DNA sequence: GAATAGTTTATCAATTTTGTAAACTTACTT
DNA sequence: AAGTAAGTTTACAAAATTGATAAACTATTC
């Protein structure tokens, strides 16, 4: 799997929405401006995130985007899988055809292990974690 | 970082050379045939591997390729770094420009952790490991 | 010096990624 | 009900990357 800028944009967009979840809906324009993501590219990303049930929308005037689940229930893996997925381990199978050859099946095991490690890291980070980290950076705890 | 088929070809090529290291040099044609890698694509891969000191060559008739280091001293990370690198963690810095913004620097931390996890897996697997695994598959130990 | 095998360089086609545009739908407001 | 602000859908296109190929070149052996 690859983590393209689409996933990076997507993660920042969801984080942006999460950071404002108590105030109001965010419009695409606001997300685009605050996170410096091309607005017409952001369209595609938001649509995908909605389709996967990560964000929710309200149309019409005063509409916008909000989270569909609690930040603690959204992992970065969820976002990356939508935007750069599918993250299935079997993806490698199509890649290296002749896996009857033992050297091929052995090397395949390497890529499988790498993907698993990636996935584990991404599954271990929730949007809530990122919100907390961001708040800590913004107003750090200056306890001596 | 992404692991393209270039790295996959490269790993199989080095493994192929390692599996034959006691017998003789392997020509590009042999590697190409045995591992089903397009010969003219393999050229580029072998050149890169040589430049990085992973393999060594002898030119002229009866020439070919051999390992430049012991299989136990070549990790898959070495190979992937040559062919899909650079694997530097700072690569993300160019990616997400405005990292003065705290949400950006927070999300960057995610990708850094993913790359680190990937790298750790790749650094933990040597060509010697792959040779052993391949031999085990080829003539397994049938102890009841 | 002829044959073999690696080297270098340049190019090209296919794919993927990134980004844009325009017509369309929904829903609020007056 | 009309106007407007928002999200939706579809299609397309530019840019970058990847995968692959070819041809001229250099070194080495016999």
């Amino acid at each position: 799997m690859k983590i393209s800028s689409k996933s990076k944009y997507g993660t920042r967009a969801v984080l942006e929405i999460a950071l404002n979840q108590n105030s109001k809906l965010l419009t695409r324009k606001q997300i685009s401006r605050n996170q410096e993501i091309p607005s017409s590219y952001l369209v595609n990303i938001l649509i995908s995130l909605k389709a996967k049930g990560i964000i929710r929308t309200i149309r019409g005037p005063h509409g916008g985007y909000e989270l569909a689940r609690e930040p603690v229930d959204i992992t970065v893996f969820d976002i990356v899988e939508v935007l750069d997925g599918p993250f299935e381990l079997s993806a490698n199978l199509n890649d290296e055809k002749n896996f009857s050859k033992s050297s091929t099946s052995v090397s395949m095991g390497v890529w499988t292990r790498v993907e698993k490690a990636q996935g584990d890291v991404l599954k271990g980070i929730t949007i809530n974690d990122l919100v907390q980290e961001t708040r800590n950076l913004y107003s750090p705890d200056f306890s001596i």
Side-chain angles (χ1 to χ4, degrees), chain A:
Chain A
M1 188 241 19
K2 65 271 129 161
I3 297 180
S4 70
S5 74
K6 201 168 186 175
S7 284
K8 295 178 182 177
Y9 283 155
T11 301
R12 297 221 311 274
V14 173
L15 179 53
E16 176 73 18
I17 296 171
L19 287 168
N20 290 276
Q21 74 176 332
N22 292 326
S23 40
K24 54 179 171 31
L25 298 180
L26 282 183
T27 65
R28 191 178 83 218
K29 197 167 294 183
Q30 289 173 312
I31 299 171
S32 166
R33 178 163 33 74
N34 293 347
Q35 291 292 334
E36 297 177 27
I37 302 168
S39 178
S40 41
Y41 191 38
L42 185 56
V43 174
N44 309 307
I45 293 171
L46 294 173
I47 292 291
S48 299
L49 291 171
K50 183 195 174 189
K52 199 63 185 301
I54 293 172
I55 61 177
R56 188 161 51 202
T57 64
I58 294 181
R59 298 169 71 149
H62 309 303
Y65 299 87
E66 64 186 347
L67 297 186
R69 307 202 293 261
E70 290 302 307
V72 78
D73 289 327
I74 302 174
T75 70
V76 182
F77 181 88
D78 297 330
I79 298 170
V80 173
E81 195 181 37
V82 176
L83 300 173
D84 277 322
F87 208 118
E88 14 161 0
L89 295 177
S90 59
N92 282 326
L93 292 180
N94 302 326
D95 240 30
E96 302 195 304
K97 308 291 184 193
N98 187 13
F99 49 89
S100 58
K101 190 184 260 293
S102 47
S103 63
T104 304
S105 78
V106 163
S107 68
M108 265 177 48
V110 176
W111 320 126
T112 302
R113 284 172 62 184
V114 171
E115 288 215 344
K116 173 109 173 41
Q118 281 187 146
D120 287 347
V121 170
L122 294 175
K123 283 175 185 165
I125 305 175
T126 71
I127 287 299
N128 187 54
D129 296 335
L130 301 186
V131 168
Q132 297 307 325
E133 277 186 59
T134 304
R135 297 238 162 90
N136 285 344
L137 279 184
Y138 186 71
S139 70
D141 186 353
F142 281 119
S143 68
I144 298 219

